[in-house]
C-alpha cells in the first residue's frame, strides 16, 4: 500500500514538473542556453531526478531537442511550441477584452491574435473591467485588456493583478465624450437622468466626475445600452466611446467634449494585466507580444488598410 502511495506521489511530482518545464520552455527560443538542472530543482521544488524525468519526457514526445556542449552548457536545438503547450496544465492560453464594437477594439483583437498565432490561443469578450479583472485574478483567464485607469484602481483596491504591457494613450480608445439627447444642452444640467454602469470602472468614474455638484438621477444601465437609452428617452446623458461616434455618427445626439479636469490619458490607455507574480506567463507573453507591432496592426485596422479578424 505504501509503495503504491509513494508511486502515485512520484507520478504527480513528475507531471507537475513536466507542466512547469513545458511552460518555461514556451518562453525560450532555438539557440537559447537552458538553466542548470539545479536551478529548475529550486524553482519547481522537486528533486534532480524529477526534473531529468520531465526533460526526458518532453524530448521523447518531440517537444524539445537539446544539444550538449560540455562545460559550455546545454542549448536548445529545436522547440515544438504546440507540443509544449499540450504538456502544460492549461493547454490553451486564454485572454479577455472588451466587446469589439469599434474599429479600435477590432484592431486590438486582431493584433493580439496575430502576435499569439504560434500558440493555442483564444480570446473572450466581456463588458466591464471589474468582471474581466476578477476572471484573471481567479485564474479563469490568463490575461485581460483594460484601461490603465481600471488596472490602477483595481491594484490600489487590493486585486492581485499587475500590468504586463502598456500600449500608450489612445490605444484603448481615442477618448470618451458626453452624449446628450437634447441638442440645445451643452452639458450636465440639474434634473437630468444620466447613465451609470458600476461594472465599468472607466464609465462610472468619468460619470462621477462630470455630475459632481449637480442634482441628477443616476440610471443603472450597461454602457453598451447608452445609445438606445438616449434615443428612447430612458436617459438624458451618458458617457460614450468617441471612436463609435466617428464610425457611426449618431446624428440625433449631441456630442460634448470632456474637460481636462474630468478626464486624463489613463482612461484611453490600453494595458494587458496578468495575475500578480506569474513570471512564467509574463516571460511567455513578452516573447511573443511587441507593443510596436500591436500598435502598427491597430493603426492598419483603424485606417481600414487591414481586415480585422478575431
Amino acid at each position: 500500500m505504501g509503495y503504491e502511495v509513494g508511486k502515485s506521489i512520484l507520478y504527480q511530482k513528475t507531471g507537475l514538473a513536466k507542466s512547469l518545464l513545458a511552460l518555461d520552455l514556451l518562453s525560450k527560443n532555438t539557440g537559447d542556453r537552458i538553466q542548470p538542472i539545479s536551478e529548475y530543482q529550486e524553482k519547481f521544488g522537486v528533486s534532480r531526478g524529477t526534473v531529468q524525468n520531465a526533460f526526458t519526457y518532453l524530448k521523447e514526445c518531440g517537444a524539445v531537442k537539446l544539444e550538449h556542449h560540455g562545460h559550455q552548457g546545454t542549448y536548445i536545438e529545436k522547440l515544438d511550441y504546440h507540443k509544449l503547450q499540450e504538456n502544460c496544465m492549461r493547454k490553451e492560453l486564454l485572454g479577455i477584452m472588451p466587446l469589439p464594437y469599434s474599429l479600435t477594439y477590432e484592431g486590438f483583437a486582431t493584433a493580439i491574435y496575430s502576435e499569439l498565432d504560434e500558440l493555442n490561443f483564444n480570446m473572450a469578450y466581456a463588458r466591464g473591467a471589474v468582471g474581466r479583472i476578477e476572471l484573471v485574478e481567479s485564474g479563469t483567464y490568463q490575461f485581460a485588456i483594460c484601461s490603465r485607469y481600471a488596472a490602477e484602481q483595481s491594484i490600489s483596491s487590493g486585486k492581485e493583478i499587475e500590468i504586463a504591457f502598456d500600449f500608450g494613450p489612445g490605444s484603448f480608445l481615442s477618448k470618451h465624450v458626453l452624449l446628450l439627447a437634447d441638442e440645445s444642452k451643452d452639458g450636465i444640467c440639474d434634473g437630468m437622468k444620466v447613465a451609470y454602469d458600476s461594472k465599468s470602472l472607466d464609465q462610472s468614474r468619468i460619470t462621477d466626475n462630470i455630475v459632481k455638484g449637480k442634482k441628477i438621477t443616476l440610471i443603472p444601465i450597461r454602457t453598451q445600452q447608452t445609445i438606445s437609452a438616449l434615443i428612447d428617452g430612458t436617459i438624458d446623458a451618458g458617457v460614450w466611446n468617441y471612436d463609435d461616434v466617428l464610425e457611426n455618427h449618431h446624428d440625433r445626439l449631441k456630442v460634448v467634449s470632456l474637460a481636462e479636469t474630468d478626464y486624463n490619458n489613463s482612461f484611453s490607455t490600453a494595458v494587458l494585466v496578468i495575475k500578480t507574480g506569474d513570471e512564467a506567463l509574463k516571460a511567455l507573453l513578452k516573447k511573443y507580444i511587441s507593443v510596436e507591432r500591436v500598435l502598427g496592426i491597430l493603426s492598419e485596422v483603424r485606417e481600414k488598410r487591414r481586415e480585422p479578424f478575431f
Side-chain angles (χ1 to χ4, degrees), residues 162-167 271-274 282 285-286 291:
E162 61 180 279
I163 296 173
F165 291 88
D166 182 318
F167 298 94
V271 296
L272 185 153
V273 300
I274 62 173
K282 187 189 294 186
L285 293 173
K286 286 187 179 295
V291 170

Side-chain angles (χ1 to χ4, degrees), residues 21 24-25 28-29 31-37 39-40 51 55 59 64-68 72-77 79:
L21 181 59
D24 182 84
L25 292 173
K28 308 294 186 187
N29 293 300
D32 284 354
R33 183 177 183 273
I34 67 165
Q35 300 160 240
I37 295 293
E39 289 188 23
Y40 281 115
V51 175
F55 264 114
K59 285 188 287 186
V64 62
K65 186 175 182 181
L66 303 176
E67 288 182 308
H68 302 285
Q72 293 180 359
T74 301
Y75 291 78
I76 298 170
E77 183 179 337
L79 288 170

Side-chain angles (χ1 to χ4, degrees), residues 43-60:
K43 185 188 290 189
F44 301 159
V46 296
S47 69
R48 182 179 184 85
T50 300
V51 175
Q52 289 173 328
N53 287 339
F55 264 114
T56 298
Y57 182 91
L58 293 177
K59 285 188 287 186
E60 288 178 350

Side-chain angles (χ1 to χ4, degrees), residues 127 193-201 203-209 211 216-223 226 235 237-239:
R127 73 178 190 95
K193 295 174 291 184
V194 182
Y196 196 81
D197 186 350
S198 61
K199 294 294 185 181
S200 171
L201 292 174
Q203 192 262 19
S204 58
R205 175 46 61 91
I206 297 168
T207 302
D208 287 338
N209 291 343
V211 303
I216 54 88
T217 302
L218 295 175
I219 306 298
I221 64 170
R222 294 183 178 185
T223 301
T226 301
I235 58 173
V239 172

Side-chain angles (χ1 to χ4, degrees), residues 188-194 214-218 235-236:
I188 299 295
C189 302
D190 287 350
M192 280 188 171
K193 295 174 291 184
V194 182
K214 302 289 185 181
K215 296 177 180 178
I216 54 88
T217 302
L218 295 175
I235 58 173
D236 301 303

